[in-house]
Each structure stands twice: as structure tokens, then as C-alpha cells.
């Protein structure tokens, strides 16, 4: 009994293709399909049977010898000779086919016989002759110079990333796809912002994604503000703005989303007067006249203001209650966050570093700095080594500006968080006030880490000294 396999019966095998003159240069393969081979074999068999069955005369040679000679002569004359003639005809036909010209593939259009207007004689060729190549002079190779932190900055974090090779445009669209702002932020912005974007992308529910979007906006505002504050302090610029930030830290209430956005609004005039202090910030912070001129791109501070307004809604009872409502909120404000991240791309030219060691090099007269590159969303930072003309402090967060490394303390620090069980990148949260000590706040989890020494560092900032408590 056969089992049913469930497969349809296969098709019958196809016959093998015929190959001309493939056997002994005379017969076609396969042999059973060639009429010449069948004719030769039939004549040989017929002649053998006829000789074997006919009586021979007395004294004749043996019967097998007569049969062999008769078969050879008869098949050679009436079997092999016609096959050889067929071979000659095929070769002549093949040579005639090779000498024939190929047929035309397309029909050319008839020539245009419309007379052309007389445009006069062609202009003379006035192209200048190429200048002669000067003789090559052998010059000694230049003396090598020790690398500097400026060359390291250009090699590791260029202000403008190199353009990717241009691929041919798709015939239907004609435009290459636009880069993803979230992916670019995760790859090139400082670690607090890049990690916040990563947390937003890996959120599973719309409510979690909504909370992560607002956390990313606040982290972006704090990152831009503390970077600008550290550079202003090092260059002795924007004393009025630094006094305002010092007063906000000394109030004891702690920094909020509104603290950073209001301070960035007041920073427009200072960065316009000193564009070299924070390169690129003056182009993205715009005042009221610029907002009227460019309504489609009002500036980084205005984008952050819109997200701050959305952050205030949950505090006043307007928190999304369902997953569908949270998804609508995310779809509504995601574009604003992406445009804010695009405006903050100037931070790629101001990389953050966490110094590990600083050693003096006697031969070059510089300091060899080993630091962690606090850029991108990966928690394992790349270890960098570069020369610096001045010493730097260990275990301190620096921003590598075109003028050199600038310490971000007391605005940014790397501290151990007891709740997380590891070191975290933190920003200044508040100075000491009554029973609450001065503290930092981690970018990643928002944990408040007490740090009493922050009072003395905040007191060194410009502005009136706060009253003793």
C-alpha cells in the first residue's frame, strides 16, 4: 500500500538537447535520435545477417572473415559516406551564416531637412594656452611639530561632519532620504542628551514615550545651559547672566526646566557680543526681530519653550490618561523635539571629556591628558589621549573648545550615586539652604546627590554674595 505524500506528480523528463557532430565528428548526440547513425547500424546488421545465412562456395575463406569484410565495406560506402557529406554541407552552411551582416536592431529616424537659420561664422577660439609646468624643486621635508589639542579637536569632533558619498537619485523621488535627527543625536551629542534620546526610542508604551520625550527636552536645555555657563566663566564674559544663574542656584528651590529656558532667553545678547566664546550658539538663539524674519525656525529657546509648556500640563492636571492620548501627544510634539535637537548640533563641536590623568612630558613641554569621551549614548566611553599645553584637573568634566579644554565645574560633575550604585554625570541643582545641603542632580535618573562643597564653588561666581543662613 503506497502512502500519499501530498505532492503533485512531477512532469516527465525533457529530452536531452541535440548536439551536432558530437560523436566521432560525424554523428549527432544522442545517437538514437540521429538518422545517419540508425542507417549505418541498420546496414551493418542487414549485411551481417545476409552473409551469415547465404551458402558459400567450396574453398572460400572462413565465414566470420567474409562477414567482417562485407560489413566494413558496405557500411563505409552506404553509411559513413552520406554522413561525411552531411558534415561538409553543415560546415559550408555555417561559414555562410558567419559572413552575413547582422540585421539592424532599430530603425533610425529620417534626417531633419529643415534649413537652419544663419547665425554667422563661429566665434574664434580664444581659450588661453595652458601655462607651462614649472620645474620641480627638491625641498627638504618640514620638521615635525608636536600635535596640539586644536588638531585633536579637528580630528575627533569636526564642526561639520564629512559629507557621505552622493548616491544616484532614485528615478521616482529624485531626492535622497533625510537623516534621522534622533539617530544623529544619539551618535554625536553629549552623553546626557544622547542617553535620554535612547531611552525615548526604547520606551515600550506611549505613556513611557511621552515621559521620556519631556525628559529629553529638559536634559537638552540643561546641557546647552551648563555648557554655555562653563565657557562664559572661563572667558570672563556674560557676568550678568552668570549672576542670574548663581541667584537661581542659591534660592534653594532647585533648578527646573523653566530655570534653563529663561536663562537661555536672557543669554541671546551676551553670545551675540562674544560669538567666539560659545561657537554656534548665537546662530540658534534668536531674539524677537529674528523670530519675525524666520517664523518657520524661531530658534532653540522657542522650541524648548513649547516643550516646557507641555511639561507644565501634567503638573496642572492635564496628564494623558490613556495610551491613545499619550500617543497623540507624542506625535504632536516629536517634531518640535527633533527641530530642537537639530538646532543643538553645535554641541558636536564642543565635546565633553572626563579627565582620568594628566602627566607632564619633558621632551615636548606639554601635558599628556587621558580622558573619557562623554559623547554618544553608549555607556562605555572611549578612552582618548591628547596633548595639552596647560595642566588639567583629574576626575573633572571639561568641554574641549577651540581655545582649549575648559572646566565645566561647578555646573557639571561626575559623582557616585548611592541609589544607582555607580557614577553619574550630574549638573548643579541647588546651593545650601536652611536644612537642605547643596546638591547635584543626575542627568540620567534625576537623583539628588548632596555635595556640601558646591556652596564654595557657587560663591566664586559673579554677582552679589548670598546672605549667611
Amino acid at each position: 500500500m503506497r502512502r500519499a505524500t501530498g505532492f503533485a506528480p512531477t512532469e516527465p523528463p525533457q529530452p536531452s538537447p541535440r548536439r551536432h557532430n558530437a560523436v566521432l565528428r560525424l554523428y549527432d548526440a544522442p545517437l538514437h535520435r540521429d538518422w545517419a547513425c540508425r542507417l549505418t547500424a541498420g546496414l551493418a546488421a542487414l549485411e551481417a545477417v545476409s552473409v551469415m545465412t547465404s551458402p558459400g562456395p567450396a574453398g572460400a575463406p572462413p565465414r566470420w572473415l567474409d562477414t567482417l569484410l562485407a560489413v566494413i565495406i558496405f557500411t563505409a560506402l552506404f553509411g559513413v559516406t552520406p554522413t561525411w557529406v552531411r558534415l561538409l554541407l553543415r560546415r559550408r552552411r555555417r561559414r555562410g551564416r558567419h559572413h552575413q551582416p547582422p540585421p539592424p536592431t532599430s530603425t533610425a529616424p529620417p534626417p531633419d531637412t529643415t534649413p537652419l537659420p544663419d547665425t554667422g561664422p563661429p566665434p574664434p577660439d580664444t581659450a588661453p594656452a595652458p601655462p607651462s609646468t614649472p620645474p620641480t624643486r627638491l625641498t627638504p621635508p618640514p620638521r615635525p611639530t608636536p600635535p596640539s589639542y586644536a588638531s585633536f579637536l579637528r580630528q575627533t569632533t569636526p564642526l561639520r561632519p564629512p559629507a557621505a558619498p552622493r548616491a544616484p537619485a532614485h528615478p521616482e523621488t529624485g531626492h535622497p532620504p533625510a537623516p534621522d535627527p534622533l539617530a544623529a543625536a544619539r551618535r554625536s551629542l553629549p552623553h546626557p542628551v544622547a542617553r535620554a534620546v535612547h531611552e525615548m526610542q526604547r520606551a515600550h508604551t506611549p505613556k513611557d514615550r511621552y515621559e521620556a520625550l519631556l525628559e529629553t527636552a529638559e536634559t537638552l536645555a540643561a546641557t546647552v545651559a551648563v555648557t554655555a555657563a562653563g565657557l562664559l566663566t572661563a572667558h570672563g564674559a556674560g557676568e550678568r547672566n552668570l549672576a542670574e544663574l548663581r541667584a537661581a542656584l542659591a534660592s534653594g528651590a532647585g533648578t527646573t526646566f523653566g530655570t534653563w529656558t529663561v536663562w537661555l532667553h536672557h543669554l541671546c545678547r551676551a553670545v551675540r557680543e562674544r560669538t567666539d566664546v560659545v561657537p554656534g550658539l548665537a546662530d540658534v538663539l534668536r531674539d524677537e526681530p529674528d523670530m519675525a524674519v524666520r517664523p518657520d525656525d524661531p530658534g532653540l529657546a522657542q522650541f524648548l519653550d513649547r516643550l516646557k509648556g507641555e511639561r507644565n500640563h501634567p503638573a496642572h492636571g492635564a496628564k494623558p490618561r490613556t495610551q491613545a492620548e499619550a500617543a497623540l501627544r507624542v506625535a504632536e510634539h516629536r517634531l518640535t523635539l527633533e527641530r530642537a535637537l537639530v538646532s543643538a548640533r553645535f554641541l558636536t563641536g564642543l565635546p565633553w571629556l572626563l579627565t582620568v590623568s594628566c602627566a607632564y612630558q619633558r621632551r615636548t613641554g606639554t601635558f599628556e591628558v587621558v580622558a573619557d569621551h562623554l559623547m554618544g549614548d553608549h555607556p562605555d566611553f572611549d578612552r582618548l589621549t591628547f596633548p595639552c599645553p596647560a595642566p588639567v584637573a583629574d576626575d573633572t568634566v571639561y568641554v574641549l573648545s577651540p581655545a582649549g579644554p575648559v572646566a565645566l565645574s561647578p555646573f557639571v560633575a561626575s559623582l557616585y550615586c548611592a541609589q544607582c550604585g555607580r557614577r553619574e554625570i550630574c549638573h548643579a541643582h541647588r546651593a545650601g539652604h536652611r536644612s537642605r545641603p547643596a546638591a547635584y542632580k543626575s542627568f540620567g535618573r534625576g537623583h539628588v546627590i548632596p555635595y556640601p562643597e558646591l556652596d564654595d564653588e557657587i560663591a566664586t561666581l559673579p554677582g552679589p554674595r548670598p546672605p549667611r543662613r
Side-chain angles (χ1 to χ4, degrees):
M1 181 176 180
R2 297 183 58 184
R3 294 181 57 186
T5 58
F7 294 98
T10 57
E11 297 180 357
Q14 299 294 331
S16 302
R18 187 173 182 178
R19 292 171 292 148
H20 294 282
N21 306 112
V23 180
L24 302 177
R25 298 291 182 89
L26 292 175
Y27 301 103
D28 299 341
L31 292 175
H32 66 275
R33 297 177 58 188
D34 188 11
W35 63 268
C37 180
R38 294 197 299 267
L39 176 64
T40 304
L43 291 176
L46 180 63
E47 182 63 19
V49 171
S50 62
V51 173
M52 292 292 293
T53 57
S54 61
R63 184 62 58 88
W64 65 268
L65 183 60
D66 286 344
T67 304
L68 178 62
L69 293 176
V71 168
I72 291 175
I73 295 174
F74 199 77
T75 55
L77 291 177
F78 300 102
V80 177
T81 301
T83 307
W84 180 70
V85 173
R86 185 185 65 172
L87 175 63
L88 296 179
L89 295 176
R90 285 181 175 178
R91 289 179 177 177
R92 181 178 299 178
R93 190 182 306 113
R94 190 180 301 112
R95 285 195 300 267
R97 187 182 302 111
H98 287 325
H99 287 297
Q100 291 180 359
T105 57
S106 61
T107 304
D112 189 6
T113 58
T114 305
L116 298 176
D118 187 8
T119 56
D125 187 7
T126 59
S132 60
T133 305
T136 305
R137 297 181 180 180
L138 299 178
T139 57
R143 298 179 59 185
T145 56
S148 62
Y149 56 85
S151 62
F152 169 79
L153 176 63
R154 290 192 296 268
Q155 294 175 4
T156 56
T157 55
L159 292 178
R160 292 183 179 179
R166 183 174 297 178
H170 197 276
E172 296 180 358
T173 59
H175 299 282
D180 185 9
L182 299 181
R186 290 178 53 183
R187 184 173 56 252
S188 58
L189 289 185
H191 179 67
V193 181
R195 183 170 69 171
V197 174
H198 179 65
E199 292 293 336
M200 185 187 72
Q201 288 187 319
R202 67 191 296 263
H204 296 290
T205 64
K207 284 188 176 181
D208 294 341
R209 198 172 299 113
Y210 173 76
E211 294 292 339
L213 184 145
L214 300 179
E215 290 291 340
T216 303
E218 183 174 358
T219 302
L220 177 62
T223 302
V224 175
V226 297
T227 303
L231 293 173
L232 290 174
T233 304
H235 290 82
E239 294 184 357
R240 182 176 179 181
N241 301 99
L242 293 175
E244 179 183 353
L245 183 58
R246 177 172 177 252
L249 293 173
S251 64
T255 56
T256 60
F257 199 165
T259 304
W260 307 118
T261 55
V262 172
W263 191 76
L264 288 176
H265 274 291
H266 297 169
L267 195 62
C268 294
R269 179 173 298 180
V271 296
R272 286 183 182 275
E273 294 175 356
R274 293 289 304 273
T275 57
D276 59 322
V277 175
V278 190
L281 183 58
D283 298 332
V284 298
L285 288 181
R286 303 189 179 95
D287 49 14
E288 297 299 330
D290 287 335
M291 291 176 59
V293 174
R294 305 177 64 177
D296 57 333
D297 188 9
L300 175 60
Q302 282 71 24
F303 290 139
L304 295 175
D305 272 341
R306 298 173 186 175
L307 297 170
K308 181 193 67 175
E310 180 63 26
R311 181 63 179 266
N312 293 335
H313 288 167
H316 295 85
K319 185 177 181 179
R321 302 183 181 278
T322 62
Q323 298 291 348
E325 184 180 358
L328 291 177
R329 297 276 189 92
V330 171
E332 179 182 359
H333 297 284
R334 176 168 177 167
L335 180 59
T336 304
L337 176 64
E338 291 180 353
R339 299 180 70 180
L341 291 172
V342 171
S343 300
R345 284 182 180 174
F346 71 94
L347 292 175
T348 59
L350 300 170
W352 284 19
L353 303 175
L354 177 60
T355 55
V356 178
S357 63
C358 179
Y360 178 72
Q361 304 297 313
R362 181 176 55 84
R363 291 186 176 181
T364 60
T366 59
F367 294 85
E368 184 180 80
V369 179
V370 179
D372 290 335
H373 195 223
L374 305 182
M375 304 294 284
D377 63 336
H378 202 281
D380 297 331
F381 304 121
D382 294 334
R383 185 64 57 87
L384 305 177
T385 302
F386 63 96
C388 184
V392 297
D394 294 344
D395 198 21
T396 304
V397 179
Y398 281 79
V399 56
L400 191 58
S401 68
V406 174
L408 291 181
S409 58
F411 306 105
V412 183
S414 175
L415 302 176
Y416 177 78
C417 178
Q419 302 181 49
C420 299
R422 62 176 181 270
R423 299 185 68 88
E424 289 285 337
I425 307 299
C426 310
H427 64 82
H429 181 53
R430 66 168 183 262
H433 183 72
R434 296 179 183 177
S435 61
R436 293 184 298 179
Y440 280 91
K441 186 177 182 180
S442 67
F443 280 103
R445 295 291 181 264
H447 296 158
V448 177
I449 304 174
Y451 195 80
E453 294 83 357
L454 182 59
D455 282 333
D456 297 335
E457 298 184 10
I458 293 178
T460 61
L461 298 176
R465 184 178 292 271
R468 295 182 178 273
R469 289 180 291 271

